[in-house]
Amino acid sequence: MSSYEDRDGKIWFDNRFVDWREADVHILTHAMHYASSVFEGERAYGGKIFKSEEHSERLTYSASCLDIELPWSVEDIERAKEQVLLINGLSDAYVRALAWRGVGEDMGVASARNPVHLAIAAWEWGNYYGDAKSKGAKLDIAKWKRPSPETAPVHAKASGLYMICTTAKHAAEAKGCSDALFMDYRGYVAEATGANIFFVKDGEVHTPAPDCFLDGITRQTVIGLLKDRQIKVNERHILPQELEDFEQCWLTGTAAEVTPVGQIGDYSFEVGRMTVDIHDAYEALVRS
């Protein structure tokens, strides 16, 4: 696969389309220096973005958490995403919307006088974890912890919150793992680097309460699917030593979709019936 900077196609950039290779920003862009940016990752199936409006609403919310007022409404963003798919001739695709503080009068921590930009790109993208959907992903345990809500805007999809995700994933891949599992600032099980996590025990589902990390749109969708099937879902604090007692495990996220987990550190899980059923149900839903 070619570098992401060297591809054919068009990117929506501040109300106009630019050639993919020409979608550049200045070296003094505030977001590059101070992480003043937010984003969304979305998937289109059959030409329709799943939960598109919810993603656009979350982008706006995330921006507000960083004191960024977007000059585009949710309806504007929705139209732009549709145009991106259309002009690039894409049906099944990954869609990335990114909003950020650009270069302007401010080049310090403050950036209120700098313009806000929005770009939307889309491309074909397969399974996030490769063949893990059939074999089960292998997870490392990250050395970092998800921060307290008192230290960061933890419910925003802010680029700066992913710094430790990158380093944790690099460390995991160096060990032959697909991803890493974070604990939170209190020591409870939290999430993977870009996906929420679910466990199964005695026919019930257990998932960490999202009180210090993103309550993913896919996570919410899967909880709905489970409740539709009369499966009890326990959203609670989970201690790391409880991993030994869980039978099944899976990850959820726009990129990850529903991906079974076969191993976390020294703990192993089966790709069981409930995991397969929820995977299949989600696949059917997003293509319905």
Side-chain angles (χ1 to χ4, degrees):
M1 182 177 291
S2 62
S3 166
Y4 275 95
E5 69 177 357
D6 184 23
R7 295 188 172 201
D8 296 327
K10 299 284 186 180
I11 291 176
W12 189 95
F13 195 136
D14 290 353
N15 296 321
R16 63 192 180 95
F17 280 100
V18 299
D19 289 337
W20 190 287
R21 296 174 183 84
E22 304 301 319
D24 297 328
V25 296
H26 195 275
I27 193 65
L28 294 183
T29 293
H30 194 270
M32 188 179 298
H33 296 259
Y34 296 102
S36 52
S37 60
V38 296
F39 71 98
E40 282 295 315
E42 312 172 39
R43 278 191 187 264
Y45 301 89
K48 182 180 179 181
I49 299 172
F50 183 66
K51 302 278 187 177
S52 180
E53 188 169 347
E54 290 181 36
H55 281 286
S56 297
E57 289 171 348
R58 189 171 67 181
L59 182 72
T60 300
Y61 167 77
S62 296
S64 70
C65 290
L66 271 64
D67 198 27
I68 296 173
E69 184 177 351
L70 296 183
W72 297 273
S73 67
V74 168
E75 292 75 18
D76 293 334
I77 299 168
E78 287 294 288
R79 283 193 295 271
K81 289 189 292 187
E82 291 175 4
Q83 293 168 6
V84 167
L85 292 176
L86 185 62
I87 199 170
N88 287 291
L90 292 170
S91 179
D92 288 0
Y94 182 81
V95 180
R96 171 62 57 92
L98 175 72
W100 72 95
R101 288 277 189 191
V103 62
E105 297 179 55
D106 292 325
M107 193 52 221
V109 173
S111 64
R113 294 181 295 176
N114 289 11
V116 174
H117 300 282
L118 175 65
I120 302 169
W123 60 91
E124 292 182 348
W125 203 15
N127 292 338
Y128 184 61
Y129 292 112
D131 63 0
K133 278 199 170 185
S134 57
K135 297 181 178 179
K138 181 180 178 182
L139 272 59
D140 187 26
I141 296 178
K143 70 175 184 178
W144 302 104
K145 293 184 177 180
R146 299 311 292 169
S148 161
E150 297 177 330
T151 64
V154 296
H155 295 110
K157 197 168 177 67
S159 301
L161 293 172
Y162 285 79
M163 177 182 64
I164 59 173
C165 299
T166 297
T167 57
K169 184 146 183 163
H170 287 174
E173 291 177 341
K175 297 177 183 179
C177 298
S178 302
D179 207 342
L181 175 66
F182 283 104
M183 304 303 155
D184 70 17
Y185 66 102
R186 299 158 297 194
Y188 296 125
V189 174
E191 60 175 349
T193 63
N196 294 122
I197 195 162
F198 289 77
F199 301 97
V200 178
K201 179 182 177 182
D202 298 331
E204 295 184 2
V205 171
H206 302 259
T207 187
D211 56 3
C212 67
F213 55 87
L214 206 65
D215 183 5
I217 291 172
T218 308
R219 177 186 185 275
Q220 297 170 40
T221 301
V222 165
I223 288 174
L225 290 172
L226 289 163
K227 290 182 176 180
D228 288 345
R229 287 157 176 73
Q230 308 302 311
I231 296 171
K232 186 176 181 180
V233 179
N234 302 282
E235 297 184 71
R236 63 180 181 86
H237 294 146
I238 297 173
L239 292 167
Q241 54 263 38
E242 294 184 69
L243 296 177
E244 184 176 10
D245 298 324
F246 292 129
E247 303 149 6
Q248 302 175 47
C249 177
W250 67 77
L251 300 174
T252 64
T254 296
E257 299 171 294
V258 175
T259 297
V261 174
Q263 186 175 348
I264 302 175
D266 296 329
Y267 304 108
S268 297
F269 309 92
E270 64 169 331
V271 182
R273 184 72 261 158
M274 189 185 299
T275 302
V276 173
D277 286 347
I278 289 301
H279 169 274
D280 292 348
Y282 182 78
E283 292 287 318
L285 176 63
V286 297
R287 290 178 171 80
S288 63

